Amino acid sequence: MKKVSFAEFGGPDVLQLIDAEEPHAGPGRIRIAVRAAGVNPVDWRIREGQILGAHPTVLPSGVGLDASGVVDEVGEGVEGVEVGDHVFGEGSSTYAEFAVLSAWARMPEGLTFEEAAGYPSVVETALRIIREVGVQPGQTLLACGASGGVGSAVLQIARDRGITVIGTAGAANQDYLRGLGALATTYGEGWVERVRQLGRADAALDLSGSGVIRELVELIGDPQKVISIADLDAPEFGVRFSGVAGSVPDALAEAIDLISRGRLHIPVEKSYTLAEAAAAHIDSRTGHSRGRRVIVV
């Protein structure tokens, strides 16, 4: 089978499309014929060799955590899923023609494989950081870098829970944020004052790692009410870096509920082939996305 792999840490050029042995579903796992794989910032962070305790890496390594596809092997002890089912979930080395998943759910009606691949890690992350930052219904949450996958999920989940969100993004994505129910403003010079003009925020999320932690602490007044998923230096300011995933099955169940009620939709901004994985990582690292990027197999 074809698989994206890297044998050394480094830039996008270390990614190679190789012929590899097919993986198989062990106990408690399923294997899918991958139709699409989500492209997440954690993918290129791992490839670069960043120290992420939740994702220890043994070289050579495959790439990718999220995927959607068709079940073609069911491991021992697995119930409730059959060969031929269309599922989405999380596993390992998902930039490949076949991948083993450790958490999955049947795809909701109406989702394409491309769309479904963009949800698992994104929704888990959004649910986790909303919980960890402690924002409550009736309060206001500030989300910096809000137009990407996690930001799109945060805005919609918060709205469903009665939380007001102030979101920052590039000029081209202001209408997108407003369409998701956020009070929107641009980042860049003067952004702190623009945020203040929109209202008082009770908690804040750094979703882009653009060096805004000091300002977020200033705006909120309490570093315990600020969380980053993108700036490894956040703890220097007393701010928690959240990088350890919670329950992916629970997140998938909540995603299905939100999608079925028309309360969550994350668009696919761009699709890539396996051979274009390096370009996908370059684009992901650049940011400025609107929704998700996915690899189509």
Side-chain angles (χ1 to χ4, degrees):
M1 71 165 189
K2 295 295 184 182
K3 169 186 175 180
V4 177
S5 178
F6 62 99
E8 59 181 319
F9 297 116
D13 57 302
V14 303
L15 296 178
Q16 296 184 336
L17 184 59
I18 65 171
D19 290 310
E21 292 186 10
E22 294 181 6
H24 293 284
R29 302 288 188 266
I30 63 170
R31 187 180 81 166
I32 62 170
V34 178
R35 294 292 182 262
V39 177
N40 296 302
V42 69
D43 300 343
W44 52 259
R45 289 181 181 276
I46 292 171
R47 187 210 70 225
E48 289 181 351
Q50 294 187 26
I51 306 302
L52 303 174
H55 300 284
T57 304
V58 177
L59 298 176
S61 174
V63 189
L65 299 174
D66 292 350
S68 63
V70 181
V71 178
D72 79 337
E73 278 187 9
V74 177
E76 182 182 351
V78 173
E79 298 179 351
V81 66
E82 298 178 353
V83 170
D85 285 350
H86 293 187
V87 300
F88 67 139
E90 188 176 274
S92 60
S93 302
T94 58
Y95 294 18
E97 292 179 325
F98 295 93
V100 172
L101 300 186
S102 54
W104 62 87
R106 283 191 176 86
M107 283 170 43
E109 290 290 331
L111 278 194
T112 66
F113 284 115
E114 287 181 61
E115 290 171 330
Y119 281 86
S121 291
V122 159
V123 175
E124 186 283 319
T125 301
L127 290 167
R128 167 170 32 98
I129 59 180
I130 289 173
R131 180 180 68 252
E132 290 176 349
V133 83
V135 64
Q136 300 297 318
Q139 292 186 321
T140 297
L141 175 66
L142 170 60
C144 285
S147 65
V150 173
S152 298
V154 163
L155 266 55
Q156 294 173 81
I157 293 168
R159 181 176 62 180
D160 189 63
R161 296 181 176 186
I163 298 165
T164 298
V165 181
I166 298 172
T168 71
N173 287 324
Q174 296 296 293
D175 286 343
Y176 175 71
L177 296 191
R178 294 187 185 102
L180 296 181
L183 302 171
T185 190
T186 54
Y187 46 70
E189 186 175 352
W191 74 270
V192 171
E193 185 54 37
R194 290 195 294 276
V195 166
R196 284 198 175 106
Q197 290 174 2
L198 290 173
R200 172 84 170 93
D202 300 287
L205 302 174
D206 167 37
L207 307 178
S208 61
S210 55
V212 297
I213 300 296
R214 188 188 304 274
E215 289 84 354
L216 292 180
V217 173
E218 175 189 334
L219 278 165
I220 304 304
D222 179 359
Q224 299 301 308
K225 300 296 291 184
V226 180
I227 284 180
S228 177
I229 61 167
D231 191 335
L232 293 173
D233 294 329
E236 295 179 10
F237 300 91
V239 169
R240 179 175 180 177
F241 178 87
S242 183
V244 179
S247 170
V248 176
D250 287 350
L252 293 173
E254 189 147 357
I256 291 168
D257 173 64
L258 288 161
I259 292 166
S260 68
R261 293 191 287 113
R263 302 295 288 176
L264 178 64
H265 173 70
I266 305 175
V268 175
E269 180 182 54
K270 189 172 181 179
S271 300
Y272 307 79
T273 65
L274 286 172
E276 296 170 327
H281 279 205
I282 291 169
D283 290 348
S284 175
R285 206 183 197 297
T286 301
H288 310 296
S289 64
R290 181 181 301 180
R292 295 307 320 279
R293 297 182 172 99
V294 299
I295 302 282
V296 176
V297 181

